[in-house]
Amino acid sequence: MAVRSIITLPDKRLRLKSEPVKAIDKETRALIDDMFETMYAAKGIGLAAPQVGRTERLSVIDVDEHPFVVINPEIVLAEGKQKGEEGCLSIPDIYGDVERAMRVVVRAQDRNGGSFEVDANDLLARCLQHEIDHLHGRLFIDYLSLVKRRAALAKWEKARQKDGDRSHVRKVTPQEAAGSHRRDEEF
Ligand code: K1U
Ligand code: ZN
């Protein structure tokens, strides 16, 4: 298993629609294992394949110490509303309030190809919607007002220039993996 690099904005691969997984083979399972390791190292509660530069339609999730993978996920029911703060490992240190469905039922395949449904509320529902959005090339900033999105992107661009970061890749440092995140500013 390995921690992979997480790609960050403005990498265009984050905007691509993912491809359905046709065969869940050894390579797919290795990708899933690496994605869990990468998500835990980055202190995330979810991670989608495009965030590690892959085109497979799959995401890993662990909101409440019940890790699972969703392969070819589809939202089959969405109801109610919740507004809450989101961040994204591909847009570090930027946060914003996003309205989502309060409850979703997601149908997906597991790592053995079996079909299952997850009935989720609150943060798990939010996380599933965030991760499935990644598979459609959508990011949480797309839901912000134009003013807030511009402010968020300007802050992100300034931080990147300050870091001299032109690679569009975020390496999870051992310090970052061990420490906690500070939320500087919210949008
Ligand atoms: O896909 C990602 O970028 C991961 C992202 C998912 C997510 C965050 C917030 C709400 C829904 C989905 C993260 O895990 S960022 C880390 C984070 O913001 C967080 C961590 C623990 C609890 C709550 C949020
Ligand atoms: Zn994200």
Side-chain angles (χ1 to χ4, degrees):
M1 294 215 289
V3 174
R4 300 197 184 196
S5 293
I6 296 175
I7 62 174
T8 57
L9 275 184
D11 194 310
K12 288 188 171 61
R13 288 173 289 177
L14 290 168
R15 292 303 192 174
L16 298 178
K17 196 170 155 55
S18 300
E19 304 285 343
V21 178
K22 292 197 179 98
I24 303 167
D25 52 19
K26 237 173 85 177
E27 199 203 327
T28 315
R29 289 194 190 94
L31 170 64
I32 293 166
D33 292 342
D34 286 357
M35 283 175 59
F36 273 117
E37 198 168 336
T38 306
M39 179 186 76
Y40 291 130
K43 301 248 184 291
I45 55 173
L47 189 71
Q51 294 181 277
V52 291
R54 298 291 293 238
T55 58
E56 288 92 337
R57 186 172 166 74
L58 67 87
S59 302
V60 297
I61 288 170
D62 187 356
V63 168
D64 49 8
E65 296 184 11
H66 289 100
F68 64 98
V69 60
V70 286
I71 302 172
N72 301 322
E74 302 288 347
I75 296 176
V76 295
L77 183 145
E79 65 176 27
K81 282 181 187 170
Q82 57 169 316
K83 196 165 181 180
E85 190 183 70
E86 290 189 22
C88 181
L89 298 174
S90 294
I91 324 171
D93 301 324
I94 303 292
Y95 300 92
D97 280 340
V98 179
E99 188 173 287
R100 301 276 191 188
M102 172 55 90
R103 176 186 172 215
V104 290
V105 177
V106 172
R107 188 174 297 150
Q109 286 170 273
D110 61 24
R111 62 184 290 135
N112 299 312
S115 184
F116 71 101
E117 281 187 4
V118 52
D119 189 337
N121 285 283
D122 301 312
L123 184 58
L124 181 56
R126 175 175 296 283
C127 188
L128 279 161
Q129 290 168 84
H130 181 114
E131 299 312 329
I132 291 170
D133 268 355
H134 270 301
L135 304 176
H136 289 106
R138 282 194 296 265
L139 301 171
F140 84 90
I141 54 169
D142 301 344
Y143 296 99
L144 303 181
S145 69
L146 191 59
V147 171
K148 287 183 176 177
R149 186 160 68 245
R150 281 196 179 146
L153 289 172
K155 184 185 174 212
W156 168 243
E157 192 53 38
K158 202 171 157 192
R160 275 202 329 124
Q161 281 172 7
K162 196 171 156 211
D163 289 352
D165 175 12
R166 309 231 171 272
S167 66
H168 309 172
V169 169
R170 173 185 179 208
K171 300 259 187 237
V172 180
T173 62
Q175 291 88 341
E176 195 180 6
S180 63
H181 294 291
R182 186 169 64 89
R183 299 190 171 198
D184 298 336
E185 198 175 332
E186 290 172 9
F187 291 93

